[in-house]
Amino acid sequence: MSDTQAIELDAVIVGSGMAGLYMTKRLNDRGMKIQTIEAGSGVGGAWYWNRYPGCRADLPIIEYSFSFSKELEQEWDWSEVMAGQPEIEKYLNHTADRFNLRKDIKLNTKVTDAIYDEAANIWTVTTDQGDVYKAKYCIMATGCLNEPNYPGFKNADTFKGDIYHTAQWPREGVDLTGKRVAIIGCGSSGVQAIPQIAKQAKELIAFQRSPVYTFPAKNAPMNPDFLAQAKVDYADIREQQRNNEMGICNYRGPKKPKDPNAAPKAKPSKKIMDITPEQRKQEIADFGVNVLTLYVDTYYNAEANEIACTLYREYLQEFIGNDQKADALSPKNYPLHCKRPVIDTEYYSAFKQDNVSIVDLRDNAVEEVTATGLKTQNGEYEFDVLVYATGFDAMTGTIKRLNIRGRDNVLLSDTWKDGPRMYMGLQSVGFPNFFTVTGPGSPSVVSNVLHSIEQHVEWIDNCIAHLVDNNVATIEPDLEAQDAWVEHVNKAAEGTMMTAPTCNSWYLGTNVEGKPRGFMPYLAGTKTYREECNDVVSKGYEGFTLKTA
Ligand code: N01
């Protein structure tokens, strides 16, 4: 398509998940000429793609919902405490309709290139449908968990049965009734899918390389009185979320007046090292196994962590009863709190079913895929359906696969070859007027991500308004500020279990072969981060260079 056919815009937004929808609304409200481009056939991003059985939120939905519209808060009724994927997808579609966003969203379209022309100060964005857009601003709202990760097993394409990835589950669903199913992986996706698949399949074999520490989700149907009260309390709930470093306030309903005669309520200890072995067991008995996540010392003290891990394995052994299964399901060799927390609904119960078995890959690696199943070092397994629950090339995967070229035709993926480099997770040096919502170096996935999305979208929107109002042509970070920020992000994660030498995770990029190891999100907390972002603005966009037209 020649330049004469290019569509001129103020901004291109890539993606129509939670971030893309809200970004579209904000720029729309400003009267900007925009185009949002979406690869899927519907809006919703992660909640559009991840439609595997059992997929649901892992935070209370009252807090994992948009806060930007009081009307939306009041008119939407949630049916569960942690809503499932269909309900969240419906909510996001409602949001798109409610705010008239669809007119700006082009579905079934993938961005292929985004190239900056310095002389014209314009981004040219092209798509696989032959569209060419020319825009002053380019905003990546592509999410942190978008690019599916497939293990590079030998002969992967020789399998004759059906193959699915949890992150690309067919829209029409899959009937697994009576099938022999294999599932590889046990992160949040595998842990949610296994109990549901176990209900349908004739046989389910779970192949696990790093069994998880997982805790009961405690999901339940939404109590209508609780929801009604939450609607009354929303302003307060949001305020409390803003004052919490995770963007979560654990709303429990209205505060009840204290009974002066009531006995003081027992609380678990703060540190596992402060209590005796007997007290530890007693606290698990009193408060449930979730208590292990409450001991603060387990997050940074290796000895405290190992005590918690041992207690976890004992709890598991007792719950499962079957020695082979308990042993294969027991997380070992890496600390609790290394990977993203996993919560579940009846995950371990599923392994008590006779039709569910587990193959421990720790000393028994996958050798190859065969026409009828999988061959590991110690055995061969046959099945009809292969499900990859093997996660994502997280945080950088999507952006690095695009042909994004900044000043001097420099490829973004080249500048990120040793790990992503961004200032505040918002912008990279060499890519003026190019923003990333919840980019590497921001709290994003180590917080209530929707809370972080809203904060980022609002920051970017206000920034663009500032540029327009002040006749600023470009904004771009300074190299020193970016280097210092990357260092600051690394420091924030130092000494935690998330960067322990025995830890591997998608936060660190070690789940993808060849990806450089480095902790990508910013761990200091969303409240701290918001203050840092506001501080940058109050100091005249400190660390950024703004050039007037
Ligand atoms: O992916 P994961 P996920 N051979 O990377 C295994 C969000 N999410 O899709 O740990 C054998 O966590 C891998 O093993 P290992 C949430 O943020 C949220 O489950 O690398 N196994 C691991 O067990 C979450 O953290 C919800 O040794 C291989 C699994 O595959 C994030 O998405 C629901 C392998 C991948 O686990 C990612 O979760 C779902 C190989 N070659 C997801 N390669 C909510 O609840 C990988 N594995 C909102």
Side-chain angles (χ1 to χ4, degrees):
M1 186 184 268
S2 75
D3 272 11
T4 49
Q5 290 167 284
I7 297 171
E8 297 199 358
L9 302 166
D10 294 313
V12 168
I13 299 166
V14 188
S16 74
M18 290 171 152
L21 289 175
Y22 187 33
M23 198 75 244
T24 302
K25 178 182 185 313
R26 291 288 293 218
L27 295 189
N28 234 323
D29 289 352
R30 267 188 207 290
M32 295 193 104
K33 202 170 169 213
I34 60 173
Q35 180 66 62
T36 300
I37 301 165
E38 169 57 56
S41 64
V43 302
W47 295 106
Y48 165 89
W49 294 104
N50 291 267
R51 51 182 69 245
Y52 58 84
C55 182
R56 66 174 58 255
D58 59 1
L59 285 178
I61 200 72
I62 292 292
E63 301 186 39
Y64 183 70
S65 51
F66 284 122
S67 72
F68 67 77
S69 163
K70 292 193 176 25
E71 294 75 22
L72 182 59
E73 283 177 343
Q74 294 304 315
E75 73 201 12
W76 188 264
D77 290 330
W78 294 106
S79 71
E80 288 181 280
V81 172
M82 292 171 184
Q85 178 274 334
E87 192 172 11
I88 301 176
E89 190 188 17
K90 216 167 140 195
Y91 167 74
L92 296 174
N93 274 280
H94 170 77
T95 304
D97 293 329
R98 172 77 174 72
F99 300 102
N100 193 20
L101 307 179
R102 289 193 200 276
K103 64 179 178 8
D104 294 310
I105 301 171
K106 184 159 195 266
L107 300 171
N108 299 308
T109 306
K110 280 188 184 164
V111 165
T112 53
D113 313 71
I115 296 172
Y116 181 62
D117 174 348
E118 188 170 12
N121 187 26
I122 284 290
W123 282 92
T124 301
V125 178
T126 49
T127 75
D128 64 352
Q129 301 299 312
D131 312 298
V132 181
Y133 301 104
K134 290 193 175 279
K136 182 122 179 229
Y137 308 105
C138 183
I139 303 164
M140 302 305 288
T142 40
C144 297
L145 296 159
N146 182 33
E147 188 65 38
N149 177 41
Y150 283 88
F153 293 144
K154 192 174 152 197
N155 299 329
D157 53 1
T158 55
F159 184 62
K160 296 272 186 277
D162 295 330
I163 300 177
Y164 303 100
H165 194 293
T166 46
Q168 290 177 326
W169 204 258
R171 242 191 143 173
E172 62 281 9
V174 182
D175 184 6
L176 295 171
T177 313
K179 296 273 168 70
R180 295 173 305 163
V181 182
I183 184 165
I184 302 172
C186 53
S188 301
S189 306
V191 163
Q192 287 184 333
I194 283 169
Q196 297 305 319
I197 296 178
K199 284 181 192 163
Q200 287 181 33
K202 182 167 121 198
E203 197 186 313
L204 175 62
I205 314 172
F207 290 86
Q208 304 200 346
R209 183 172 70 179
S210 304
V212 274
Y213 303 95
T214 169
F215 297 91
K218 300 184 178 165
N219 181 36
M222 183 68 80
N223 176 333
D225 294 338
F226 176 88
L227 181 63
Q229 188 60 46
K231 287 187 181 187
V232 174
D233 292 342
Y234 256 131
D236 187 43
I237 294 170
R238 302 309 187 190
E239 183 57 22
Q240 285 186 50
Q241 286 185 259
R242 272 189 289 275
N243 283 310
N244 177 275
E245 290 291 13
M246 297 290 289
I248 302 167
C249 75
N250 279 314
Y251 176 72
R252 297 264 180 266
K255 284 205 180 85
K256 296 192 182 92
K258 269 194 183 154
D259 175 358
N261 300 317
K265 222 175 153 196
K267 279 189 182 159
S269 308
K270 289 210 163 65
K271 293 186 178 175
I272 205 165
M273 298 294 275
D274 286 351
I275 51 176
T276 64
E278 292 72 30
Q279 284 170 320
R280 290 166 193 154
K281 288 197 171 155
Q282 192 57 50
E283 292 206 342
I284 293 179
D286 292 345
F287 302 108
V289 70
N290 293 38
V291 77
L292 295 175
T293 63
L294 301 179
Y295 300 124
V296 289
D297 49 350
T298 61
Y299 287 83
Y300 53 83
N301 178 330
E303 193 185 341
N305 192 283
E306 187 46 41
I307 292 170
C309 293
T310 304
L311 286 166
Y312 183 90
R313 286 188 283 269
E314 286 171 13
Y315 139 83
L316 182 59
Q317 186 85 39
E318 203 172 305
F319 184 83
I320 297 285
N322 172 320
D323 282 350
Q324 184 277 328
K325 283 189 179 177
D327 193 52
L329 283 166
S330 283
K332 293 172 201 159
N333 312 330
Y334 75 95
L336 175 66
H337 313 312
C338 136
K339 297 175 190 277
R340 188 171 191 276
V342 177
I343 60 171
D344 70 87
T345 304
E346 297 174 344
Y347 172 63
Y348 287 132
S349 303
F351 286 93
K352 291 186 176 185
Q353 293 179 208
D354 290 339
N355 66 330
V356 182
S357 59
I358 172 160
V359 177
D360 187 344
L361 296 177
R362 282 174 287 202
D363 298 314
N364 178 30
V366 173
E367 283 191 336
E368 62 177 317
V369 177
T370 66
T372 52
L374 264 183
K375 203 165 156 189
T376 68
Q377 263 167 291
N378 302 336
E380 207 164 335
Y381 303 85
E382 292 200 348
F383 39 83
D384 311 310
V385 179
L386 175 54
V387 176
Y388 288 109
T390 44
F392 302 87
D393 183 353
M395 305 206 69
T396 57
T398 306
I399 290 181
K400 281 182 75 173
R401 278 169 178 80
L402 298 180
N403 182 30
I404 300 171
R405 292 180 183 273
R407 203 176 319 98
D408 302 325
N409 209 31
V410 169
L411 194 61
L412 184 65
S413 62
D414 281 348
T415 68
W416 285 13
K417 67 179 187 317
D418 298 324
R421 300 197 73 81
M422 298 201 86
Y423 180 44
M424 311 210 68
L426 284 159
Q427 278 208 296
S428 273
V429 172
F431 298 81
N433 297 344
F434 183 92
F435 299 91
T436 302
V437 184
T438 61
S442 71
S444 59
V445 287
V446 285
S447 66
N448 172 351
V449 73
L450 182 49
H451 181 76
S452 289
I453 284 171
E454 287 192 315
Q455 184 262 337
H456 251 199
V457 166
E458 286 161 20
W459 193 97
I460 293 168
D461 175 45
N462 292 334
C463 171
I464 289 177
H466 175 86
L467 305 183
V468 172
D469 292 349
N470 294 280
N471 204 22
V472 176
T474 58
I475 181 167
E476 182 186 345
D478 302 330
L479 187 57
E480 307 78 63
Q482 178 171 285
D483 288 347
W485 186 258
V486 171
E487 192 56 33
H488 181 61
V489 170
N490 291 338
K491 280 247 152 31
E494 244 173 52
T496 69
M497 291 301 145
M498 288 174 166
T499 54
T502 51
C503 177
N504 286 302
S505 69
W506 58 261
Y507 288 146
L508 288 163
T510 49
N511 64 324
V512 174
E513 221 180 298
K515 195 166 171 173
R517 181 184 172 98
F519 194 78
M520 293 181 282
Y522 177 45
L523 208 50
T526 49
K527 180 172 179 284
T528 301
Y529 176 73
R530 178 185 296 100
E531 286 162 6
E532 288 171 324
C533 285
N534 293 347
D535 196 45
V536 160
V537 174
S538 69
K539 290 179 177 156
Y541 288 90
E542 187 180 49
F544 291 97
T545 292
L546 277 63
K547 286 194 184 141
T548 42

